[in-house]
Amino acid sequence: MTGAERRGIRRHALISRALHQSGTRVVVVQAPAGHGKSTLLEQLRVECEQRGDVTGWLDLGEGDNDIRRFYGHLKDLIVAMKAQGEHAADRATRSADESEFRSDWLLSQLRSIGRPASLFLDDAHLVGARPTLTLLEQIVSRLPQHVQIFIAGRTLPDIGLARLTVAGQAQIIRAQELCFTRDETARYFASIADLELSEPELDQIYLQTDGWPAALQLFRLALRHPLLRRDLQRFGECPPEELASYLAEHVLHQQNVSTREFLLLSATISRVSGDLCDAVLCREDSASQLAQLESAGLFLRRLDREPQWFTYHPLFASFLVDQLRKRGNGQIVELRRRAADWFAAHDRIEDALEHYLAAGDQGAAADALERWSDRLIPLGQLMTVERWSERLSLAEIERRPGLLVQIAWALGFLRRQSRLAPLLETLRRLPALARTDHHADPRLLLTMAAFLEDNLQTGDSLLSRVDVSQDAEAGSFRAFELGAVCNVRGYTAMASGDFPAAHQFFARARHFCGPSGTSFTWAYCVSLNSFALIQQGQLHEALSLLRSSMLDHRMVEDESIPQASVVAAYVTALYEADQLEEARTQFQRFGDVIASTALPDYLVVAFIAMSRVHDAGGEPGKALECLDEAEAIAYAQRWPRLGTIVGWERVRRELVRGEFDRATALAERVERLGDFSTGSGVQFSEDVHGLTIGRLRLHAMLRDPTEALRMITTALGAARRKGRVHRQIKLLQFAAVAHHRRDSASRSQQYLDEALRLAAAGGYLRAFLEEGPLFERAMQDNLIGVRSLSGESPQSRTPQDAFLSQIVHRLKKSGESPGMGAGLGEVRRVSSVRSVERFTRREQTLLKLLAAMVSTTEMAQAMHLSTDGLKFHLKNIYAKLGVRTRMQAVRAARDLELARD
């Protein structure tokens, strides 16, 4: 036990409430400094250990705002706790399975401890980054029954406490409850040897402190001074802060000269150890001095994670520094600079940065950050780079081109455009774009900035001059840069349709990231490789690569920025394979990360896939929300090309819904925005989305099928030459619809056969479930009777036949509920009990127009009706058909026309 614990009065009521209230899994202690939060946590830990719990303690710091570092600290703590468990169900620390990420893996380790466990997190107010708080929220909301977590801080952490409190799973202990009662105050002073207080003196102390623990402890230390006891009555209404300073001064002057000097000098350092103090204070007895101070209860606390290290209570440390400042600032600055040098020499760079900046030495801090960033960026710890760079002046950063490049890399991938812009402007003004002393290459950064700005042509021209055949030390910043170059060159090769070259560049990227085990380059390499496979018709291979990558330790440990790219690819592949629930699960987990950090093309394909998942599940409102969010991000980040891709997806939705007037209006609006294609081939986000595909779909399904076929011939030839199989499938489908509209059944069937053959080989099921009634009608007329319903024996069926059977099954299944995606099964179900004779002559004419998918405007004109009059007749038709949506009415009308024929 610490000195504070030995001298603390046990808070029986608070301990009993925290440990014995039924259903409580989370206890949060929230109060300003000096209220005994850490002391209460220490007492709770002792109680938990005495009842047989496995315990673990984590002192949080500002560095834990970087999600990867927080996860690392928490993982080490839980693994150590697991090792304590004598009856652990599984002592081996296993890898995560496919569904497990940070929170899942940590919770699985907690479950495997096998006996009651308690986690203690102190100084939680130092952590405010959303990713870190999200991880903590995921853990506290799903704690195993045998685990409790205790959190202390000056503010309430944003981890869903309101919901947990209402459910009876969390309780909050606040400042007023931490203050001592009159009885606890009396017991506290009675426990002190050689210090007897009268009842009037106790009353006066309690009145003046209102039970504030810090002030009571200062009274305990200072009351041995006779003058203080004599003056007790005259303190009167002295504010608590002034009282604390007065008492602290008495405590300080009661110490001998050597101890007093040690306190004053060492308090300038945020955390202290014997070795550090010996070096900085030029002493040889610091370890024993620290032990004596801890034993005396002089506001010094041993750090649990590093027992040889200590920290002063912030109130007492602030008082001591104020006392030392009376001698002048020079000594404080020198002490902090010496401490910073010691920290830097012992590779404690974050502590070094803190003390260099506290000493006002921005230059030394910038040098330290430049060296540290060589390691941080390849590891994906971009938020740490950003956090410390914000405390440096722009002038200091500009004096170090290498640091400028490193910070710009971090800000670029974090999408901090406003802070990135001046750094890029400075880089462009440099007299020569050459590598710096620390191997940060401004040319590569400017290239990446061009890609982040969606300017592929500029980026490609710069990259082509970079030699990627050179080697680099594993894990170095140079290896990170060259790996990034290989990924981008693979991306441009993929866009041009040179897939062999793309895969060669991805292999080279793996070479640079593989030996070091770093995640940043690896994640982008995996995702780009997967998108290349999807485009080449190898969906099964892409899914296999992505599933194995999701199990990689780098995904579990670095569930952050680069990993958003892997999940974007995974969600896309799952959607194409019609594995919608898994796609939904992954997007729900990573949607926020994708939205906040993913690069342009990754973001748009993931959001479109999720929008279609919502539509397929009968949630059109949520589908639109996805598209709205993607479009808002595109415009906020000045990515107009992505805005047009989203716009064409909106057009597709309206076509599928049968809202042809709205589809036409939306298409006109999107086309007025202009053509923002990069001219650098076909990016993976535009393989089956975007301008070209959108225009072809519109012509094939609504406008001019002849023009559609002319355009498709050109696009299909290019796709075949480049091996873009996924694109071919989509183009062949459009050609089938266009020929069907021209009453060319044989040509329509020919294109559908080829589309099915390509799709069946790769398993692109959703490609046949997302184009709506016109395409379904083409399949129904040309293929269903010929293949899946032909009565062939199972032995004679080809993989293509089996694939078509899957399509029919899915369409029937989706037809069980109204909304987008209703299929062939619904047509038969709705219309089988209806007869065309039940409709008036005008309604029969309208049924024919519905079956032909004539727009509302054209229908009104043909029938000489006003818009309101048309709506009245359509409402009657919907009622007679027993349908609720236009698409259901279209399918039913078609089926009635077939029945009458």
Side-chain angles (χ1 to χ4, degrees):
M1 288 189 291
T2 66
E5 167 65 16
R6 284 193 294 270
R7 287 164 176 76
I9 289 297
R10 290 188 66 75
R11 312 301 304 275
H12 294 292
L14 293 177
I15 291 172
S16 176
R17 170 182 153 189
L19 296 182
H20 304 305
Q21 186 167 302
S22 177
T24 297
R25 307 251 59 80
V26 182
V27 177
V28 178
V29 184
Q30 181 259 320
H35 279 76
K37 300 181 296 295
S38 298
T39 300
L40 177 59
L41 247 63
E42 288 171 347
Q43 292 185 1
L44 285 166
R45 178 168 66 167
V46 169
E47 186 76 18
C48 289
E49 289 173 348
Q50 288 177 349
R51 71 181 186 183
D53 286 14
V54 175
T55 65
W57 184 289
L58 184 60
D59 292 297
L60 298 175
E62 289 188 0
D64 291 300
N65 284 292
D66 191 310
I67 180 65
R68 186 181 185 278
R69 301 182 69 197
F70 174 69
Y71 170 75
H73 294 154
L74 200 54
K75 176 183 127 179
D76 291 344
L77 175 69
I78 292 175
V79 168
M81 291 173 63
K82 184 177 176 182
Q84 295 177 38
E86 294 179 358
H87 305 293
D90 179 11
R91 283 189 176 276
T93 303
R94 63 179 182 80
S95 300
D97 65 29
E98 181 181 339
S99 65
E100 287 186 319
F101 288 87
R102 285 200 179 108
S103 59
D104 298 303
W105 188 88
L106 292 172
L107 287 166
S108 73
Q109 295 303 299
L110 286 172
R111 280 191 290 270
S112 70
I113 289 175
R115 72 186 227 217
S118 300
L119 280 78
F120 297 84
L121 306 182
D122 201 8
D123 291 332
H125 58 275
L126 297 176
V127 175
R130 188 64 255 169
T132 298
L133 292 174
T134 297
L135 174 59
L136 189 53
E137 181 175 359
Q138 291 169 349
I139 291 171
V140 300
S141 64
R142 297 158 54 204
L143 279 175
Q145 286 297 310
H146 66 287
V147 178
Q148 273 190 290
I149 186 166
F150 301 86
I151 303 171
R154 299 179 194 174
T155 58
L156 287 177
D158 183 10
I159 56 174
L161 287 174
R163 174 175 47 80
L164 293 173
T165 303
V166 169
Q169 297 172 359
Q171 56 175 287
I172 301 171
I173 298 174
R174 301 183 186 271
Q176 190 58 41
E177 298 166 278
L178 288 169
C179 289
F180 279 30
T181 64
R182 170 63 171 77
D183 179 63
E184 286 176 322
T185 301
R187 286 193 291 114
Y188 176 67
F189 284 104
S191 68
I192 302 168
D194 304 324
L195 181 63
E196 294 183 5
L197 295 179
S198 65
E199 289 299 314
E201 286 177 320
L202 281 172
D203 288 338
Q204 189 65 35
I205 291 172
Y206 185 69
L207 178 66
Q208 289 164 353
T209 62
D210 199 23
W212 184 27
L216 293 176
Q217 189 173 359
L218 283 167
F219 263 116
R220 175 186 68 80
L221 294 167
L223 278 174
R224 298 182 188 281
H225 198 288
L227 291 177
L228 182 66
R229 294 191 69 165
R230 188 189 65 192
D231 294 342
L232 194 59
Q233 295 293 331
R234 71 178 181 83
F235 289 156
E237 297 298 322
C238 179
E241 291 78 11
E242 292 182 18
L243 175 62
S245 295
Y246 177 83
L247 294 171
E249 187 171 357
H250 274 272
V251 170
L252 181 63
H253 285 288
Q254 286 179 20
Q255 312 306 315
N256 61 49
V257 174
S258 176
T259 300
R260 186 161 58 242
E261 194 69 6
F262 183 88
L263 284 167
L264 290 170
L265 300 182
S266 61
T268 61
I269 308 170
S270 63
R271 62 184 65 200
V272 292
S273 71
D275 291 341
L276 167 64
C277 290
D278 281 348
V280 174
L281 308 184
C282 302
R283 300 174 64 118
E284 297 179 351
D285 63 342
S286 299
S288 61
Q289 186 71 68
L290 288 168
Q292 291 172 17
L293 291 175
E294 182 194 21
S295 177
L298 275 171
F299 294 93
L300 189 71
R301 183 167 67 88
R302 189 183 296 270
L303 298 181
D304 194 82
R305 192 164 51 191
E306 299 174 294
Q308 74 275 26
W309 287 85
F310 300 82
T311 183
Y312 285 104
H313 191 286
L315 287 177
F316 194 52
S318 178
F319 163 78
L320 292 172
V321 172
D322 285 343
Q323 294 297 307
L324 186 61
R325 190 170 282 116
K326 294 176 181 178
R327 303 180 186 178
N329 277 327
Q331 190 174 15
I332 296 175
V333 169
E334 180 58 26
L335 288 167
R336 285 173 171 164
R337 184 177 288 111
R338 280 191 217 163
D341 289 340
W342 189 94
F343 282 126
H346 289 79
D347 202 32
R348 300 178 68 99
I349 306 300
E350 192 149 31
D351 290 314
L353 282 166
E354 179 184 343
H355 289 82
Y356 280 133
L357 291 170
D361 193 341
Q362 286 251 329
D367 289 339
L369 181 59
E370 184 171 11
R371 292 192 300 272
W372 197 25
S373 295
D374 272 353
R375 288 179 282 164
L376 291 176
I377 292 178
L379 290 171
Q381 296 184 26
L382 307 184
M383 294 179 69
T384 298
V385 176
E386 178 190 31
R387 180 166 59 88
W388 285 108
S389 69
E390 289 174 344
R391 298 179 62 179
L392 297 175
S393 69
L394 184 59
E396 284 294 345
I397 295 172
E398 289 179 344
R399 291 190 188 102
R400 297 162 178 81
L403 177 60
L404 192 153
V405 169
Q406 292 165 335
I407 294 172
W409 272 103
L411 296 177
F413 279 108
L414 289 169
R415 300 212 316 246
R416 309 289 198 257
Q417 297 300 325
S418 60
R419 292 202 62 223
L420 177 62
L423 301 188
L424 294 178
E425 201 55 43
T426 299
L427 276 175
R428 293 184 180 109
R429 292 197 306 265
L430 290 178
L433 291 177
R435 284 172 58 187
T436 68
D437 292 340
H438 287 286
H439 309 295
D441 193 332
R443 296 171 302 169
L444 304 189
L445 184 277
L446 291 174
T447 299
M448 183 54 63
F451 278 94
L452 292 171
E453 294 167 357
D454 207 28
N455 184 352
L456 266 66
Q457 288 176 309
T458 299
D460 196 31
S461 64
L462 288 168
L463 277 187
S464 61
R465 299 193 292 269
V466 178
D467 177 17
V468 296
S469 65
Q470 59 184 293
D471 231 327
E473 181 183 351
S476 67
F477 189 79
R478 186 60 178 171
F480 160 76
E481 285 184 314
L482 291 174
V485 168
C486 289
N487 277 334
V488 175
R489 291 190 69 176
Y491 177 89
T492 57
M494 184 168 63
S496 69
D498 189 352
F499 290 103
H503 288 296
Q504 288 178 1
F505 280 120
F506 298 146
R508 187 66 179 157
R510 286 194 296 273
H511 165 77
F512 286 119
C513 68
S516 64
T518 56
S519 63
F520 209 93
T521 305
W522 169 83
Y524 285 113
C525 179
V526 168
S527 57
L528 287 170
N529 208 348
S530 301
F531 278 119
L533 291 171
I534 293 171
Q535 291 181 75
Q536 291 178 277
Q538 301 176 50
L539 180 58
H540 295 311
E541 290 81 354
L543 279 169
S544 177
L545 171 61
L546 288 164
R547 285 197 175 103
S548 65
S549 299
M550 298 292 275
L551 299 177
D552 191 282
H553 69 92
R554 286 167 286 196
M555 280 298 292
V556 179
E557 293 174 359
D558 293 315
E559 188 181 323
S560 54
I561 296 160
Q563 280 58 39
S565 65
V566 177
V567 180
Y570 194 31
V571 168
T572 304
L574 288 167
Y575 169 77
E576 294 296 342
D578 199 38
Q579 299 176 28
L580 303 188
E581 285 310 308
E582 180 60 16
R584 183 191 298 269
T585 298
Q586 297 300 334
F587 191 88
Q588 286 174 343
R589 175 168 296 166
F590 286 94
D592 289 342
V593 178
I594 293 172
S596 60
T597 62
L599 299 185
D601 294 282
Y602 294 98
L603 182 144
V604 76
V605 295
F607 271 77
I608 286 177
M610 192 59 219
S611 173
R612 294 184 182 184
V613 168
H614 284 310
D615 271 331
E619 302 171 309
K622 291 184 177 180
L624 279 175
E625 287 176 7
C626 269
L627 297 182
D628 289 344
E629 184 175 359
E631 192 170 48
I633 294 170
Y635 285 112
Q637 295 295 323
R638 299 179 182 177
W639 295 333
R641 180 174 64 87
L642 268 64
T644 61
I645 293 174
V646 175
W648 282 109
E649 175 62 12
R650 294 184 190 277
V651 173
R652 185 200 69 83
R653 290 186 79 253
E654 299 306 327
L655 284 172
V656 172
R657 288 160 58 90
E659 300 291 342
F660 307 123
D661 291 340
R662 183 162 175 75
T664 300
L666 281 173
E668 290 172 353
R669 190 189 75 177
V670 176
E671 287 180 320
R672 283 197 300 270
L673 296 175
D675 183 357
F676 295 101
S677 59
T678 63
S680 301
V682 179
Q683 280 85 274
F684 66 78
S685 62
E686 297 176 275
D687 190 44
V688 292
H689 306 299
L691 178 67
T692 300
I693 294 295
R695 284 175 173 169
L696 288 173
R697 178 185 285 113
L698 195 63
H699 277 295
M701 295 188 174
L702 188 62
R703 287 180 176 172
D704 185 350
T706 302
E707 175 63 12
L709 290 170
R710 185 191 66 78
M711 296 167 64
I712 288 170
T713 299
T714 302
L716 190 56
R720 283 170 172 156
R721 287 193 301 275
K722 299 294 187 178
R724 299 185 185 278
V725 175
H726 194 196
R727 191 176 179 88
Q728 289 177 56
I729 294 169
K730 192 58 59 182
L731 295 172
L732 290 165
Q733 290 174 333
F734 295 160
V737 173
H739 277 298
H740 187 263
R741 288 183 63 202
R742 296 180 67 196
D743 295 323
S744 178
S746 61
R747 293 288 286 163
S748 179
Q749 182 171 331
Q750 177 186 340
Y751 281 108
L752 273 175
D753 272 334
E754 186 177 355
L756 280 166
R757 178 178 57 81
L758 294 175
Y764 292 83
L765 197 58
R766 284 309 305 181
F768 288 83
L769 304 173
E770 64 190 13
E771 293 298 344
L774 273 175
F775 179 65
E776 292 173 17
R777 174 66 176 234
M779 286 198 299
Q780 182 183 12
D781 286 355
N782 295 311
L783 294 176
I784 293 177
V786 176
R787 288 187 177 277
S788 294
L789 306 181
S790 63
E792 293 178 354
S793 65
Q795 291 79 9
S796 64
R797 287 190 175 186
T798 66
Q800 188 173 329
D801 295 326
F803 183 71
L804 184 56
S805 295
Q806 283 184 278
I807 295 171
V808 175
H809 173 73
R810 284 293 291 113
L811 287 171
K812 288 181 178 179
K813 184 177 179 181
S814 63
E816 292 171 3
S817 59
M820 193 180 302
L824 302 172
E826 180 194 63
V827 173
R828 295 192 176 97
R829 177 178 56 82
V830 172
S831 61
S832 60
V833 295
R834 305 296 181 194
S835 170
V836 73
E837 284 75 19
R838 297 189 55 186
F839 298 89
T840 66
R841 285 179 176 271
R842 174 167 284 183
E843 288 171 347
Q844 290 181 32
T845 304
L846 285 172
L847 281 170
K848 291 180 181 180
L849 295 175
L850 276 171
M853 296 189 76
V854 174
S855 70
T856 303
T857 301
E858 292 171 333
M859 200 180 294
Q861 290 173 351
M863 299 296 296
H864 304 289
L865 291 169
S866 67
T867 302
D868 289 338
L870 177 63
K871 288 181 179 178
F872 172 78
H873 287 292
L874 289 176
K875 184 177 180 181
N876 287 338
I877 290 173
Y878 287 9
K880 291 181 181 181
L881 289 173
V883 300
R884 289 184 289 177
T885 70
R886 185 183 179 97
M887 282 325 316
Q888 291 174 334
V890 168
R891 291 186 174 95
R894 285 176 174 172
D895 199 54
L896 285 170
E897 287 294 302
L898 285 173
R900 188 173 64 175
D901 293 345

